Amino acid sequence: MRKRFAYSIPAMTRRLLHIAAPVKGTLLVSTLASIIGNLSQMGLMGFGALLLLSCAGMVGGSPWLYGGLTALSALFIVLGRYTEGVVSHAGAYRLLASMRVQLYETIRKLAPACLMDREKGDILNIAVSDIETVEFFFAHAIGPMFTVILLPCVTLGLALWFQPLFAAVLLPVYLIVSVIFPLAAVKAGRGVGMRYRARLGEMKSLVLESVYGLKDIQIFGFAPRRMEQVREKNREINRAAHGMTLHRQTVSSAPTFFVYLARILVIAAASWLAASGTPNPVGTVVLSFVAAASFSSTQSLTMVVSSLLETYAAAERLFLIEDTPPEITEPEHPVSCGPIRKVEFDHVGFSYGNSSRIILQDFCLTVTGAEKVGIVGESGIGKSTVLRLLLRFWNAKSGQIRMNGIPIEQIPLTELRRRIAVLEQDTFLFNGSIAENIALGRPDAAREEIEEAARRAGLSEFIRTLPDGYETQMGQMGARLSGGERQRVGIARVMLMDPDVIVMDEPTSSLDVLHEKELLQTLRGECGDKMLLIVSHRHSTLTGCSRIIRLENGRAFEAEGSTGGEM
């Protein structure tokens, strides 16, 4: 039988507490402040009762003493709550920062093989919103967890000391409100929390997709239909949120009933003891006040429980990402391949995931030296897959890929991807300066090196026309660059990396004939000593390739009409 949830509540709680270990000192201070604040609330009521009895002449001691202790208790309540809030949030925010870094590292290892079926908006929701939701556990749940255990124990100890009848009245209520009901509420409401977090992730994916595709939505008049999709997703979120609200109100209202019932029972017990002529009426009155105050911590737990539904749902989504085993891992015994002078695909077979559709089957190809090899074939036949396997974004299912005779799985990923550069049909520009975008593969490159790479890519004249030259930010300017200008930024990145092998996936598909010719001239002039593998539908792009390989039925065939020239 398939489990409904990937992790149990105790397992997630232990894992979250393990994550909190680096700031355990901070959270310990926060928890102590919470305990002191709640104990002071009990002290406020207890000393307040003694102050009243002292003024009535029913108990010895100076009213000023009890009044001072009451005021001191009030001060400790304020200081305790202030310290708890400030310190717990400081520790929680430190943890969130490290969790974001850890998640990014996990995503980096998983991409792209393990994330191809995940929506970008949902991953963004996990990285930002879900991690932010987990903050509640660190900042608001750890302190109350310990407080709700300690305070009832203190109250029950006082009750057993003064009057066991109070302990008999209080114990069942503490068990119901502090143990039974919270556990049942969290277990019953997990599905509600998961649905809500999942719907939020779907909405963010829809919005992100709509923003990226806004131009096409407008061109093809898809806006009314897209708006209906947004409305429907909003309705789903509202239904999930309504379920969360119903659960939250139930969780907060039902324990309140037991709390007030317990207060009535405490008053009833105190009244019965008073009518029976109890030998310690002062203790009965004081204990009644203290017991009533002790329920403040148990009542606050109900709010914690209602919010933990979202927290555990967010944590489960986060842990599912972190526990996904990467398909591509670093070799246990890495071997350096040195400058790549030979690439071999030896009877390689490949299919994506668990798909039965075979992309490559018995694929063989050898490229040596500074060969320029073009790869052609029908759309979806596997041309881009060849390049992805070369970069080890995926592992071959059968056969072997070798660099200089060394199996690709034995070569460190950092070295492999340093020696092989990629130029795709659409160069992505990050939100930084154009100099930072050029230096993507070598962020420590000197400005002179960046400018030289731009010059070799034929980009320096264009950069001089930008408002701030190399410091022009691409956040807004990136959308204004033409396809050719963006491609030249990609070429500049390649030039700066100075790789052994350059793979190009439809590098001129978004360019007109003139810009395609300029791009190819740049490549001929600057990459003559490099091994090139070019995937393209355009025959003009492959002009000058020493060989052209046609991909059919997952196999490589030498195409007729290979130019045999030099690029």
Side-chain angles (χ1 to χ4, degrees):
M1 183 177 177
R2 185 176 179 269
K3 292 195 299 182
R4 187 181 178 190
F5 302 104
Y7 308 92
S8 66
I9 293 295
M12 283 201 292
T13 302
R14 287 193 298 270
R15 186 161 176 174
L16 288 169
L17 289 174
H18 178 72
I19 292 173
V23 295
K24 59 185 178 182
T26 301
L27 296 180
L28 176 62
V29 172
S30 170
T31 302
L32 289 175
S34 174
I35 293 171
I36 290 171
N38 282 278
L39 285 174
S40 298
Q41 192 160 348
M42 294 168 59
L44 175 70
M45 297 300 291
F47 291 128
L50 288 172
L51 174 60
L52 292 175
L53 294 172
S54 175
C55 292
M58 298 178 63
V59 65
S62 169
W64 290 102
L65 173 63
Y66 298 126
L69 292 173
T70 302
L72 189 62
S73 298
L75 177 62
F76 276 121
I77 292 173
V78 175
L79 292 176
R81 290 183 176 174
Y82 175 81
T83 303
E84 178 192 8
V86 171
V87 174
S88 65
H89 282 87
Y93 292 146
R94 282 179 56 193
L95 292 174
L96 296 190
S98 64
M99 288 174 69
R100 291 189 188 101
V101 173
Q102 176 62 37
L103 180 62
Y104 175 78
E105 180 64 16
T106 299
I107 292 173
R108 185 188 67 80
K109 292 178 180 178
L110 294 178
C114 298
L115 299 178
M116 64 182 302
D117 295 327
R118 296 293 297 258
E119 295 181 347
K120 292 183 178 65
D122 191 45
I123 295 176
L124 178 64
N125 191 48
I126 293 172
V128 179
S129 181
D130 285 352
I131 287 183
E132 196 70 29
T133 300
V134 173
E135 177 265 347
F136 182 88
F137 179 88
F138 303 123
H140 303 282
I142 294 179
M145 281 182 187
F146 288 98
T147 303
V148 81
I149 295 172
L150 179 62
L151 263 63
C153 292
V154 171
T155 308
L156 289 171
L158 291 173
L160 288 171
W161 184 21
F162 280 109
Q163 182 50 255
L165 177 62
F166 282 107
V169 170
L170 294 172
L171 181 59
V173 177
Y174 283 140
L175 289 175
I176 292 172
V177 176
S178 302
V179 180
I180 298 174
F181 195 83
L183 292 177
V186 170
K187 185 174 181 180
R190 284 195 69 187
V192 178
M194 283 295 291
R195 279 194 299 275
Y196 181 67
R197 299 308 306 177
R199 297 298 175 270
L200 280 180
E202 291 167 3
M203 171 57 86
K204 291 191 176 181
S205 293
L206 185 63
V207 171
L208 190 64
E209 184 183 69
S210 300
V211 171
Y212 281 136
L214 189 58
K215 182 174 66 175
D216 294 286
I217 289 173
Q218 292 173 333
I219 289 173
F220 291 98
F222 192 67
R225 174 61 181 151
R226 179 59 77 171
M227 282 302 301
E228 181 54 37
Q229 291 175 344
V230 172
R231 291 191 188 96
E232 177 57 31
K233 191 58 64 178
N234 262 322
R235 285 191 285 268
E236 293 178 9
I237 289 176
N238 288 339
R239 285 194 290 269
H242 183 64
M244 284 279 295
T245 301
L246 287 177
H247 189 276
R248 183 176 286 116
Q249 292 305 312
T250 302
V251 169
S252 60
S253 300
T256 302
F257 165 79
F258 289 102
V259 167
Y260 281 105
L261 176 62
R263 286 172 175 165
I264 292 172
L265 292 174
V266 166
I267 294 172
S271 301
W272 184 81
L273 289 171
S276 302
T278 178
N280 189 4
V282 172
T284 300
V285 173
V286 172
L287 187 57
S288 300
F289 276 68
V290 171
S294 71
F295 288 114
S296 61
S297 64
T298 56
Q299 217 166 356
S300 66
L301 182 66
T302 62
M303 300 306 298
V304 171
V305 169
S306 63
S307 297
L308 277 177
L309 296 178
E310 269 196 85
T311 299
Y312 280 128
E316 179 161 339
R317 284 159 51 83
L318 175 64
F319 294 157
L320 283 171
I321 286 280
E322 291 184 344
D323 293 345
T324 300
E327 184 171 320
I328 304 302
T329 57
E330 290 283 358
E332 291 186 13
H333 305 289
V335 178
S336 175
C337 64
I340 298 174
R341 307 307 297 167
K342 185 178 183 181
V343 173
E344 298 173 88
F345 288 82
D346 186 6
H347 301 281
V348 170
F350 180 77
S351 59
Y352 286 102
N354 297 319
S355 173
S356 59
R357 178 171 175 255
I358 297 174
I359 305 298
L360 298 179
Q361 182 177 346
D362 200 31
F363 178 84
C364 296
L365 175 65
T366 301
V367 186
T368 59
E371 272 194 286
K372 295 359 180 219
V373 177
I375 303 176
V376 298
E378 298 177 359
S379 295
I381 200 68
K383 303 185 299 297
S384 297
T385 300
V386 173
L387 305 186
R388 292 167 183 166
L389 292 176
L390 188 64
L391 289 159
R392 208 177 163 224
F393 287 164
W394 280 267
N395 283 327
K397 298 295 176 69
S398 61
Q400 196 173 74
I401 303 173
R402 293 186 289 270
M403 304 284 174
N404 298 339
I406 300 170
I408 196 172
E409 293 82 8
Q410 297 180 15
I411 302 171
L413 289 172
T414 51
E415 179 180 3
L416 180 70
R417 294 170 185 173
R418 186 181 72 247
R419 296 188 179 280
I420 303 176
V422 184
L423 183 63
E424 295 186 296
Q425 56 185 304
D426 186 21
T427 298
F428 186 85
L429 297 181
F430 291 87
N431 187 16
S433 69
I434 193 168
E436 290 170 335
N437 272 276
I438 292 173
L440 190 65
R442 285 186 55 200
D444 58 343
R447 172 55 63 88
E448 294 77 13
E449 295 176 293
I450 295 172
E451 292 179 0
E452 176 62 17
R455 185 197 63 75
R456 294 176 64 193
L459 195 63
S460 55
E461 290 297 327
F462 166 72
I463 293 177
R464 290 193 185 97
T465 67
L466 295 176
D468 299 309
Y470 283 89
E471 297 305 316
T472 302
Q473 298 296 307
M474 292 290 99
Q476 294 180 348
M477 284 292 298
R480 303 179 194 174
L481 267 60
S482 69
E485 291 160 350
R486 297 169 73 92
Q487 284 296 68
R488 289 189 179 278
V489 173
I491 295 174
R493 288 174 179 170
V494 172
M495 300 299 175
L496 187 60
M497 284 182 63
D498 192 26
D500 303 325
V501 181
I502 301 174
V503 297
M504 295 185 281
D505 190 359
E506 300 288 359
T508 63
S509 62
S510 59
L511 305 181
D512 56 32
V513 176
L514 178 61
H515 285 97
E516 179 189 37
K517 186 176 180 180
E518 291 177 352
L519 176 64
L520 294 176
Q521 285 177 343
T522 300
L523 291 173
R524 290 190 190 102
E526 299 295 338
C527 303
D529 60 337
K530 308 293 184 186
M531 181 187 297
L532 263 65
L533 278 79
I534 307 174
V535 165
S536 181
H537 285 91
R538 288 185 177 182
H539 291 290
S540 57
T541 305
L542 303 178
T543 300
C545 286
S546 54
R547 281 193 293 156
I548 296 179
I549 303 299
R550 176 169 291 279
L551 203 58
E552 293 181 9
N553 300 320
R555 293 180 170 88
F557 299 91
E558 196 86 16
E560 295 182 6
S562 291
T563 63
E566 293 297 328
M567 176 171 274

